[in-house]
Amino acid sequence: AQSVTQLDSQVPVFEEAPVELRCNYSSSVSVYLFWYVQYPNQGLQLLLKYLSGSTLVKGINGFEAEFNKSQTSFHLRKPSVHISDTAEYFCAVCHTNAGKSTFGDGTTLTVKP
Amino acid sequence: GAGVSQTPSNKVTEKGKYVELRCDPISGHTALYWYRQSLGQGPEFLIYFQGTGAADDSGLPNDRFFAVRPEGSVSTLKIQRTERGDSAVYLCASSPPGVSYNEQFFGPGTRLTVL
């Protein structure tokens, strides 16, 4: 079985400040890792994914995440946020041999001017 | 190109009624997933199709829930004898063939409200 814990339900930050959204996972087998963003009244959009190889993954909109196997973490970072980054962010894991993904409960990022 | 579409976008029904939710995946995508997202929570897996067959239906909460994909494209999620606890946003996603990972493209969802 897999589980995902997003450690912060809400993260308020000021515009142009750096941000980190934390994600820890639990799995007894190899997994793929994903971050999705959900803007109000829109569907989930893939930000970035870790499949294998380099542990630092770069995604869209200036986001990046680092896979840490020993700490079973996949934290999302952005060095300077914009108002338009305000959204719900979901971390997800997927067993490498299965179709379904397991999602965390989300982190609401609010960027203030 | 066109993304995953879901209809209706909103559905209000009364307790005990039957509902059908439709998902049109991206053309050519062979895998299709249904998730349910309750308020304040992340999406919760319901069922996964590979082609016409259900490869994994372990997330369906009980036998009131059923999904079909008869021609390997459009899928319908069917809920019988709806209960207030079924109120949620139902998300559909699809994946292309021939990839070693399961990148899923999500639709906008159907918001189901059971009164």
Side-chain angles (χ1 to χ4, degrees):
Chain A
Q2 303 157 165
S3 67
V4 178
T5 302
Q6 292 186 240
L7 297 161
D8 307 291
S9 59
Q10 297 193 39
V11 174
V13 294
F14 287 105
E15 194 174 16
E16 298 183 6
V19 71
E20 178 180 78
L21 306 184
R22 297 180 293 167
C23 173
N24 285 91
Y25 71 93
S26 172
S27 177
S28 57
V29 297
S30 296
V31 295
Y32 298 133
L33 296 155
F34 306 85
W35 275 98
Y36 290 87
V37 60
Q38 187 174 36
Y39 298 104
N41 301 315
Q42 294 188 27
L44 289 161
Q45 178 183 359
L46 182 68
L47 268 180
L48 48 78
K49 57 184 179 285
Y50 172 79
L51 307 178
S52 65
S54 173
T55 57
L56 184 62
V57 179
K58 294 189 183 297
I60 62 171
N61 300 340
F63 283 93
E64 63 181 31
E66 185 157 18
F67 169 57
N68 188 318
K69 187 173 182 180
S70 63
Q71 296 186 7
T72 60
S73 68
F74 191 55
H75 300 334
L76 181 70
R77 302 186 182 100
K78 186 169 182 178
S80 175
V81 294
H82 302 291
I83 298 287
S84 59
D85 292 323
T86 295
E88 189 83 9
Y89 291 80
F90 292 95
C91 180
V93 301
C94 180
H95 185 314
T96 55
N97 290 321
K100 63 185 178 184
S101 292
T102 300
F103 287 81
D105 283 337
T107 297
T108 303
L109 175 64
T110 303
V111 181
K112 301 180 285 186
Chain B
V4 177
S5 63
Q6 293 186 245
T7 53
S9 55
N10 280 283
K11 176 70 177 179
V12 180
T13 191
E14 294 179 342
K15 180 176 178 295
K17 298 290 187 183
Y18 168 83
V19 297
E20 290 189 351
L21 311 179
R22 177 188 168 106
C23 172
D24 281 86
I26 293 171
S27 179
H29 282 197
T30 53
L32 186 145
Y33 311 80
W34 283 100
Y35 293 85
R36 177 170 70 174
Q37 186 174 16
S38 300
L39 193 62
Q41 298 182 14
E44 176 188 9
F45 171 77
L46 296 177
I47 187 170
Y48 153 53
F49 287 90
Q50 188 61 259
T52 60
D56 184 350
D57 64 358
S58 62
L60 294 177
N62 51 59
D63 61 5
R64 295 188 298 106
F65 288 75
F66 189 72
V68 296
R69 195 185 185 200
E71 297 177 358
S73 177
V74 171
S75 176
T76 304
L77 178 65
K78 308 180 180 191
I79 310 174
Q80 298 177 323
R81 305 183 305 280
T82 52
E83 300 177 357
R84 291 193 179 88
D86 298 335
S87 296
V89 176
Y90 289 81
L91 299 171
C92 177
S94 66
S95 290
V99 293
S100 60
Y101 58 91
N102 301 297
E103 179 171 348
Q104 299 172 24
F105 296 81
F106 283 83
T110 293
R111 183 176 299 277
L112 175 66
T113 303
V114 182
L115 301 177

